[in-house]
Amino acid sequence: MASMQSLTELEALCNVLYNSHNPHERAHAEGALRPFSTNTDYIPQCKAILDSTTSPYAQLFATSSLTKLLTDNSSLSPQLRLDMRNYVINYLATKGTVLETFVTTSLIQLLSRITKTGWLDTDDTHREVVADIMNFLTQPNSTHYHIGLKIFNNLVTEMNQQTPGTSLISQRKIAVSFRHNVLLQIFQVSLQALQSLQSDPNTEARLKEQATALVLCCLSYDFVGTSLDESTEDIGTIQVPSSWRQLIEEPATMQLLFDVYKSSAPPVSNGALECLVRLASVRRSLFASEVERNAYLQRLIVGTSDMLRLNQGLGEHANYHEFCRLLSRLKTNYQLSELVAVEGYQQWIQAVAEFTLTSLQSWQWASSSVYYLLCLWSRLISSVPYLKGEAPSMLDNYVPRITETFITSRLDSVTAVANSTASEDPLDNEEQLQDQLESLPHLCRFRYETTVTFLTALLDPAIAEFNHCTNMQPGADPTALSIVEGRLTWLVYIVGAVVRGRLSCSSAEPQETLDGDLAFRVFQLIQVMDTGFHTYRYGAESRQRLDLAVLNFFGNFRKVYVGEQAMHSSKVYVQLSERMGLHDHLMVMNLTVTKITMNLKCFAQCEKVVEASLNLLQDLAVGFMSGKLLLRLDSVNATLANHTPEHFPFLNDYANTRNRTIFYATLGRLLFMEDSTEKFAAFMAPLGELCQQLATTASNPAAFRTNQVKHMLIGLFRDLRGIASAANSRRTYGLVFDWLYPRHTPLLLHTMEVFAEDPEVTTPLLKFVAEFVLNKTQRLTFEPSSVNGILLFREVSKLVVAYGRKMLQAGRPPPAKGSDVYADRYKGIWISLTVLMRALSGNYVNFGVFELYGDTALQDALGVAVQLSLSMPLEEIMTYRKVAKAYFALIEVLCHNHMGMLASCEPGTFGYIVRSLEAGLRSLDVSISSQAAAAIDNLAAFYFRALNPTVGENPAAGSEKIAQHVSGQPGLFPDMLKTLFDIVLFEDCTNQWSLSRPMLSLILVNEQICGELKSQITQTMPPAKRPKMEGAFEKLMADVTRSLEARNRDRFTQNLTVFRHDAKS
């Protein structure tokens, strides 16, 4: 620290850290300042900086360092935390008025973190935080008042979210205690502050904003630990505690928020509306009786009616959006019968209907909010069958108008976009489109005959105009046709949504007839889409959208009227048969497949249409019955016979390479439904010719490395992966295996040797091999006398070794700065590890044969796999989830079946692997922690058996070396056992059974150290809990013997469950 003795120098470094655009300068400053945030000895220096400096950046740095030290070091003494707390409160009180905003925010964050970490301390001081913060609210100046409200806001937020490094159980304990002790008090303070500020005409907007935000924070608290998904705006029921009843039921509470809304502008006004959305979502059981609940609803109806009547503030988008959410929540939390019974319902529903109609017409401005209004009307309609009593719902008067306005507004948007009077096209936002279409079926089917009449009146002229355009000459102006295509796109989407609604709406036969009426028009449109002038339109965006809408319609129609669950004798087919000769679902499937095939041939440049077409074909092929039906179609058999790029140009487009796997997986599924080796041979013939062509090219190194060959190889491997994934039985897998081996496997190895450093080639190659060696549904079951399993593993070993050695080459340059190290290196490594893991665990190879006959295939593959694993830093492995899953899955297999290989590792390598398992235990991914636990169990059990050999049995290979490794690194097993106890006792482990298995093995091989560990854990507990903890440890080993038999393991697992419960109670 000699270079940083002066405060001036430190301030300069802090200024560089936060303001410099030079990465080297910032890196130097960060390195020089790092000790302040990593070493607890620097806490006094951080306080000294705050006391001495006037630089806001030095103040921010000191505060951030204290927060990090506090977060990363849970063992700080309670007195130290208490001193820090008092220091920060005093600092804010004395200097808060002159601090920069970002410094104040950082100090408040530090105070909240101190309060949270000390909340469960035996000293009550931290829990008296409300009284301390109230001192800020009683000061005469507005800055202190603002700081006080900000502290409350930050404190509630801090208590409501999990702090990095703390377990979920610990978080819930703190959150529940905070809710129980002070949250209601803070909520009362927030309402009092807001009331006081509301009544003062000279109030600063920032104070009102903080007070409103605090009310919202309290109402948004996770009261029961449901951890609501914050990625969605939709909120569930608010589980307010019963102690809040009086405050929630108090009419002044809700009225205050309505008043704040009326007298404010965003962000205060929309914050008040957000609070009202929460109040509208309060659990029904909170209220003492129906009288109180209905009075509460009455106030909500009156308040929203006034807002609609006055139309105040709804011109602000933030207010408008929250108001739509508020209306939607009213139906989510209350029954239609309750709404209808409220005084003023008729005026309210009329106002909401007018508001909805206006919103639909203002689609450019309100596009993201319309979803909530459609949800409201959809839910109202869904409740009509359950409505009892004579009070009219009034829905008949408004729903048809709303439905028609929605449809016409969407059609109007097409013209507006074409005339460039709209900034964005609603069809571009696919997520928003699907949200709106989701609510539409209930609206359309409410008065279905009226809706169908309206839709056919729009469809018929649009289809007629589309037909007329068929005769246009090439080169003609397509502007008018683009608008027709856009209008038809909306209409086809709407018809598709309405037909899908048949699954959840009324099952009356007349509705099926009406479905047929609409479906007929769409099928009529489909028959002319690929004729005349329309064949020149495949590159136009409006035409591509129309085809996506048609595919969406096919998918929805299929779910209702085609396939296993469909209604084959439906009245729909009566309509379709009479009007266009589509007598049954087989003919509809033929039309669908014909359209899909046409799309795949004509839309090679449009990846979206190709992908949607393939996904629909895949959906049709997945079902056994629909798959069998497909095989009866000439168009499908023609595709199986002619599936090369000459017939399907999309296969030549590099952008579609991902879609090739889906295409061939679907064709493979259909191909394997028939037990015909001749058809399989004919299907694979073009791929065989391509392999021969590539094998011939391989003799010319320069020609083999061209981009053309590279793209051919990528396509080939994606195609083969699709076919291999479809081979789900022993018979079909045998066909693929016999086709590939031994004729074409040399091509795979040569490709790997040439392109090992090019992930564009190695990734699809390795993914194909990973699929090919996967023994799903026991498909890799060869005859007892067959050597195919061994031959397959030898080929896999050659590929993995060839790839691994290239990756590990001494002269290979490190990844370029700024390159994607995952795509360039780690992705290929995890796939190769997966390949090896699947081959090792597939149970189709007798690995003892390799050692018996001196074959090094197994040894080489395992050696390269370990070296590849070691080439990645453990932090990087844990950072990338897929890499971690592949790594730990392989280590688990090695510990289960190949302990001899692990035993032969260097001591440093063995230690690294075992230490990595400890990191795996702490992974938040349950599958990774379970794999790590299984590996540790196998390792510890192997060591236990080596220490306690059974009389008369030969020691397992590697026993002596494992014993040497463990004795050479005596801390390995004790550290893992300590980690497991930490997880079981202090974290929310959902895989307790998996973690219990290695615990017994580790206890049995660490009996001497186990007593010390128990003592250490007991000492970390509060003094009052220590006797109970000691008793829990005694019960843990009750009736557990020194053996690893299944019954003994199960007894220990049961004891561990009791132990965990006792320790946490």
Side-chain angles (χ1 to χ4, degrees):
M1 288 299 295
S3 61
M4 287 170 44
Q5 287 175 353
S6 72
L7 182 63
T8 308
E9 190 176 348
L10 184 134
E11 289 174 344
L13 282 169
C14 291
N15 192 44
V16 168
L17 180 67
Y18 290 112
N19 292 322
S20 175
H21 296 292
N22 185 321
H24 298 294
E25 287 182 359
R26 290 182 64 183
H28 169 70
E30 192 176 335
L33 295 168
R34 184 172 291 115
F36 285 89
S37 59
T38 55
N39 189 338
T40 54
D41 293 340
Y42 282 82
I43 290 176
Q45 281 93 323
C46 289
K47 288 182 180 179
I49 294 168
L50 285 170
D51 288 333
S52 308
T53 187
T54 55
S55 163
Y57 299 110
Q59 292 167 342
L60 176 62
F61 168 72
T63 311
S64 303
S65 297
L66 286 171
T67 305
K68 188 173 187 305
L69 288 169
L70 183 73
T71 306
D72 295 346
N73 297 277
S74 57
S75 58
L76 290 178
S77 71
Q79 186 58 48
L80 180 58
R81 283 201 296 263
L82 209 54
D83 292 343
M84 286 173 68
R85 171 190 181 278
N86 296 334
Y87 175 82
V88 175
I89 291 174
N90 185 55
Y91 194 90
L92 284 168
T94 55
K95 298 187 179 181
T97 53
V98 295
L99 294 174
E100 291 286 347
T101 304
F102 58 84
V103 178
T104 306
T105 302
S106 186
L107 281 163
I108 289 171
Q109 174 63 45
L110 172 59
L111 177 60
S112 300
R113 187 64 54 84
I114 294 168
T115 306
K116 183 174 183 178
T117 54
W119 190 260
L120 299 178
D121 286 355
T122 49
D123 191 324
D124 290 341
T125 309
H126 291 288
R127 294 191 286 280
E128 294 166 358
V129 68
V130 175
D132 293 319
I133 301 173
M134 285 301 293
N135 291 331
F136 286 87
L137 302 185
T138 56
Q139 298 299 312
N141 66 73
S142 62
T143 304
H144 276 115
Y145 199 90
H146 185 256
I147 290 173
L149 290 174
K150 206 169 178 180
I151 295 172
F152 273 132
N153 255 309
N154 200 282
L155 182 62
V156 175
T157 304
E158 177 72 27
M159 293 297 190
N160 198 31
Q161 64 189 13
Q162 192 170 353
T163 307
T166 60
S167 68
L168 189 58
I169 288 177
S170 174
Q171 162 62 25
R172 283 311 305 161
K173 276 186 178 179
I174 294 168
V176 169
S177 174
F178 182 79
R179 179 201 73 194
H180 181 71
N181 289 302
V182 300
L183 187 59
L184 177 56
Q185 193 180 350
I186 295 175
F187 185 47
Q188 288 169 328
V189 169
S190 69
L191 292 172
Q192 289 163 4
L194 189 58
Q195 179 67 63
S196 170
L197 295 167
Q198 175 65 14
S199 58
D200 182 358
N202 300 317
T203 295
E204 292 182 41
R206 62 173 187 155
L207 300 181
K208 215 168 174 181
E209 182 183 345
Q210 280 297 328
T212 308
L214 181 54
V215 175
L216 181 60
C217 256
C218 293
L219 289 171
S220 304
Y221 198 79
D222 190 3
F223 295 101
V224 291
T226 49
S227 301
L228 295 174
D229 183 5
E230 293 180 3
S231 64
T232 175
E233 287 192 346
D234 196 17
I235 57 172
T237 302
I238 306 298
Q239 301 292 339
V240 176
S242 300
S243 56
W244 292 40
R245 178 183 295 137
Q246 185 178 353
L247 205 52
I248 297 291
E249 286 183 355
E250 173 61 49
T253 302
M254 189 183 295
Q255 190 57 49
L256 171 62
L257 292 166
F258 277 118
D259 291 343
V260 170
Y261 166 75
K262 290 173 187 174
S263 63
S264 309
V268 177
S269 55
N270 62 287
L273 280 176
E274 276 198 75
C275 295
L276 287 165
V277 172
R278 295 308 190 274
L279 287 179
S281 307
V282 165
R283 62 185 173 95
R284 295 165 60 87
S285 56
L286 176 71
F287 302 96
S289 68
E290 289 215 10
V291 175
E292 283 82 3
R293 188 167 69 238
N294 290 337
Y296 189 79
L297 175 60
Q298 175 79 52
R299 291 195 289 276
L300 282 167
I301 293 294
V302 169
T304 49
S305 293
D306 284 347
M307 289 172 65
L308 288 166
R309 180 171 52 81
L310 299 171
N311 196 28
Q312 186 177 0
L314 293 177
E316 295 283 354
H317 195 276
N319 292 346
Y320 181 90
H321 184 73
E322 289 304 327
F323 184 66
C324 290
R325 290 181 69 201
L326 175 57
L327 291 176
S328 179
R329 286 306 303 177
L330 287 177
K331 176 57 192 78
T332 306
N333 217 28
Y334 293 92
Q335 302 299 328
L336 178 58
S337 56
E338 293 172 319
L339 289 168
V340 169
V342 168
E343 185 181 342
Y345 166 76
Q346 293 190 11
Q347 292 81 2
W348 178 79
I349 197 73
Q350 181 180 356
V352 172
E354 295 299 334
F355 177 72
T356 304
L357 291 170
T358 306
S359 300
L360 291 172
Q361 288 160 351
S362 310
W363 59 269
Q364 293 185 54
W365 190 73
S367 58
S368 61
S369 309
V370 163
Y371 164 73
Y372 295 105
L373 296 175
L374 293 177
C375 279
L376 167 66
W377 289 99
S378 176
R379 287 166 179 158
L380 287 170
I381 293 162
S382 301
S383 302
V384 169
Y386 310 104
L387 184 62
K388 296 176 182 177
E390 297 181 0
S393 68
M394 307 292 291
L395 297 182
D396 288 6
N397 300 348
Y398 306 118
V399 171
R401 281 175 61 202
I402 289 169
T403 306
E404 291 175 11
T405 304
F406 174 80
I407 295 167
T408 51
S409 66
R410 302 307 107 172
L411 300 185
D412 291 344
S413 72
V414 176
T415 310
V417 171
N419 296 335
S420 301
T421 57
S423 58
E424 60 180 36
D425 191 337
L427 286 169
D428 284 339
N429 192 331
E430 196 169 327
E431 186 179 351
Q432 203 175 87
L433 172 67
Q434 293 305 325
D435 283 343
Q436 293 177 8
L437 293 177
E438 192 179 319
S439 301
L440 198 59
H442 287 100
L443 274 72
C444 290
R445 287 183 175 271
F446 182 64
R447 290 290 173 263
Y448 198 26
E449 285 189 30
T450 307
T451 305
V452 170
T453 303
F454 181 74
L455 279 170
T456 52
L458 294 169
L459 274 164
D460 288 341
I463 293 172
E465 193 173 347
F466 189 80
N467 282 339
H468 179 70
C469 293
T470 306
N471 302 317
M472 288 170 63
Q473 296 301 311
D477 182 9
T479 307
L481 178 56
S482 295
I483 293 174
V484 174
E485 287 170 342
R487 291 168 67 86
L488 283 170
T489 299
W490 273 111
L491 290 169
V492 172
Y493 268 126
I494 290 166
V495 171
V498 172
V499 168
R500 187 189 69 236
R502 170 72 179 77
L503 292 171
S504 55
C505 299
S506 168
S507 59
E509 285 193 358
Q511 293 216 349
E512 294 181 13
T513 304
L514 294 169
D515 280 352
D517 215 15
L518 292 174
F520 153 68
R521 286 167 169 80
V522 179
F523 286 129
Q524 191 182 29
L525 169 68
I526 290 164
Q527 290 184 327
V528 296
M529 284 178 70
D530 299 299
T531 60
F533 183 73
H534 299 303
T535 57
Y536 295 96
R537 297 282 298 157
Y538 297 126
E541 189 177 15
S542 57
R543 171 55 201 269
Q544 292 168 359
R545 285 178 178 156
L546 178 56
D547 274 273
L548 288 171
V550 165
L551 291 168
N552 177 269
F553 166 78
F554 273 135
N556 290 329
F557 188 86
R558 178 194 71 81
K559 288 172 186 171
V560 185
Y561 295 112
V562 178
E564 282 84 350
Q565 308 297 324
M567 296 163 281
H568 306 145
S569 58
S570 166
K571 296 283 185 183
V572 165
Y573 290 108
V574 175
Q575 287 281 317
L576 296 177
S577 177
E578 290 173 357
R579 295 192 176 194
M580 58 190 307
L582 293 174
H583 304 303
D584 55 26
H585 62 166
L586 182 61
M587 298 187 77
V588 170
M589 284 184 80
N590 188 49
L591 184 62
T592 306
V593 173
T594 303
K595 179 59 186 159
I596 290 171
T597 306
M598 185 62 72
N599 286 354
L600 295 177
K601 291 182 177 181
C602 301
F603 285 97
Q605 305 303 315
C606 183
E607 191 181 345
K608 272 190 174 181
V609 176
V610 169
E611 187 176 357
S613 301
L614 288 172
N615 285 334
L616 178 58
L617 183 62
Q618 188 178 43
D619 289 345
L620 289 170
V622 163
F624 179 77
M625 180 181 167
S626 55
K628 286 289 187 184
L629 286 174
L630 284 177
L631 288 172
R632 291 165 58 184
L633 304 178
D634 292 340
S635 53
V636 169
N637 286 309
T639 300
L640 289 173
N642 305 284
H643 52 83
T644 55
E646 293 78 36
H647 301 91
F648 291 96
F650 85 92
L651 295 170
N652 279 327
D653 195 308
Y654 188 66
N656 286 313
T657 49
R658 288 179 179 276
N659 292 323
R660 296 180 70 136
T661 305
I662 301 174
F663 181 60
Y664 275 96
T666 306
L667 295 187
R669 183 181 290 275
L670 293 170
L671 179 70
F672 292 140
M673 281 184 178
E674 292 188 300
D675 190 5
S676 171
T677 53
E678 292 79 10
K679 283 191 175 182
F680 175 78
F683 180 83
M684 298 299 288
L687 294 173
E689 290 170 12
L690 177 60
C691 288
Q692 291 293 345
Q693 179 188 338
L694 289 167
T696 305
T697 310
S699 58
N700 182 344
F704 197 69
R705 293 196 69 94
T706 60
N707 274 341
Q708 183 185 0
V709 170
K710 174 179 162 179
H711 290 164
M712 289 168 70
L713 287 166
I714 292 169
L716 172 66
F717 297 138
R718 288 193 179 278
D719 299 347
L720 291 176
R721 179 183 166 201
I723 295 167
S725 70
N728 288 321
S729 68
R730 179 180 172 184
R731 178 187 59 81
T732 55
Y733 183 85
L735 292 173
V736 179
F737 181 87
D738 290 340
W739 179 87
L740 184 70
Y741 185 87
R743 278 172 296 177
H744 305 306
T745 44
L747 175 63
L748 304 186
L749 182 59
H750 185 72
T751 302
M752 182 61 82
E753 289 169 342
V754 173
F755 290 98
E757 296 180 8
D758 188 344
E760 284 189 337
V761 180
T762 56
T763 296
L765 170 54
L766 287 169
K767 282 195 170 183
F768 158 59
V769 178
E771 177 60 47
F772 192 64
V773 300
L774 177 61
N775 191 13
K776 58 183 180 183
T777 64
Q778 295 301 304
R779 62 181 184 171
L780 272 78
T781 307
F782 300 111
E783 295 295 333
S785 58
S786 171
V787 293
N788 284 349
I790 294 169
L791 296 173
L792 174 59
F793 184 82
R794 289 179 66 184
E795 295 302 324
V796 168
S797 173
K798 290 176 191 174
L799 284 167
V800 171
V801 169
Y803 175 75
R805 285 179 178 164
K806 281 282 187 182
M807 289 291 102
L808 296 166
Q809 265 181 354
R812 190 171 188 270
K817 194 171 180 66
S819 66
D820 186 349
V821 68
Y822 174 76
D824 291 346
R825 185 175 178 84
Y826 296 159
K827 187 174 183 179
I829 291 177
W830 79 253
I831 301 171
S832 61
L833 296 183
T834 301
V835 168
L836 193 55
M837 180 274 296
R838 288 178 174 180
L840 291 170
S841 60
N843 210 25
Y844 49 84
V845 185
N846 183 347
F847 291 104
V849 170
F850 293 104
E851 186 178 355
L852 183 64
Y853 290 99
D855 192 325
T856 61
L858 175 63
Q859 185 181 341
D860 293 345
L862 292 177
V864 164
V866 170
Q867 287 177 292
L868 283 173
S869 301
L870 294 173
S871 72
M872 299 181 289
L874 186 57
E875 312 86 72
E876 297 281 82
I877 291 175
M878 300 307 295
T879 299
Y880 299 102
R881 183 168 169 268
K882 288 183 177 179
V883 178
K885 290 190 86 165
Y887 171 76
F888 287 106
L890 178 64
I891 299 300
E892 182 193 354
V893 171
L894 292 181
C895 289
H896 191 263
N897 297 323
H898 301 278
M899 196 64 75
M901 187 273 157
L902 275 181
S904 64
C905 289
E906 294 291 322
T909 302
F910 180 83
Y912 174 88
I913 292 172
V914 176
R915 291 290 181 196
S916 71
L917 292 175
E918 191 178 338
L921 288 174
R922 293 195 177 277
S923 171
L924 297 177
D925 189 309
V926 173
S927 63
I928 291 174
S929 65
S930 297
Q931 286 170 340
I936 293 169
D937 182 33
N938 287 320
L939 185 60
F942 185 87
Y943 180 55
F944 176 77
R945 285 190 285 270
L947 294 177
N948 303 276
T950 305
V951 178
E953 284 189 9
N954 293 325
S959 297
E960 287 184 17
K961 287 189 175 180
I962 288 287
Q964 288 172 10
H965 283 311
V966 174
S967 61
Q969 302 176 67
L972 286 178
F973 285 161
D975 288 350
M976 284 196 286
L977 183 57
K978 188 176 186 307
T979 299
L980 282 164
F981 269 115
D982 283 346
I983 294 170
V984 168
L985 285 172
F986 305 116
E987 294 184 19
D988 182 35
C989 59
T990 55
N991 56 338
Q992 184 183 315
W993 186 92
S994 299
L995 297 180
S996 71
R997 311 318 263 185
M999 287 185 78
L1000 178 60
S1001 307
L1002 289 169
I1003 288 171
L1004 293 180
V1005 297
N1006 288 294
E1007 288 177 296
Q1008 294 178 345
I1009 302 167
C1010 204
E1012 298 172 18
L1013 188 58
K1014 289 177 187 177
S1015 178
Q1016 288 174 17
I1017 294 170
T1018 304
Q1019 289 303 312
T1020 62
M1021 295 288 173
K1025 279 194 170 186
R1026 288 173 190 169
K1028 190 173 183 181
M1029 194 70 203
E1030 289 170 356
F1033 269 116
E1034 290 300 321
K1035 292 179 188 174
L1036 179 61
M1037 299 304 291
D1039 301 324
V1040 176
T1041 60
R1042 289 190 80 259
S1043 78
L1044 292 173
E1045 293 176 0
R1047 186 178 297 178
N1048 198 46
R1049 284 176 175 272
D1050 292 340
R1051 190 177 296 117
F1052 177 80
T1053 301
Q1054 291 168 4
N1055 289 356
L1056 185 66
T1057 304
V1058 176
F1059 168 78
R1060 186 165 184 254
H1061 179 269
D1062 290 348
K1064 288 178 179 292
S1065 60

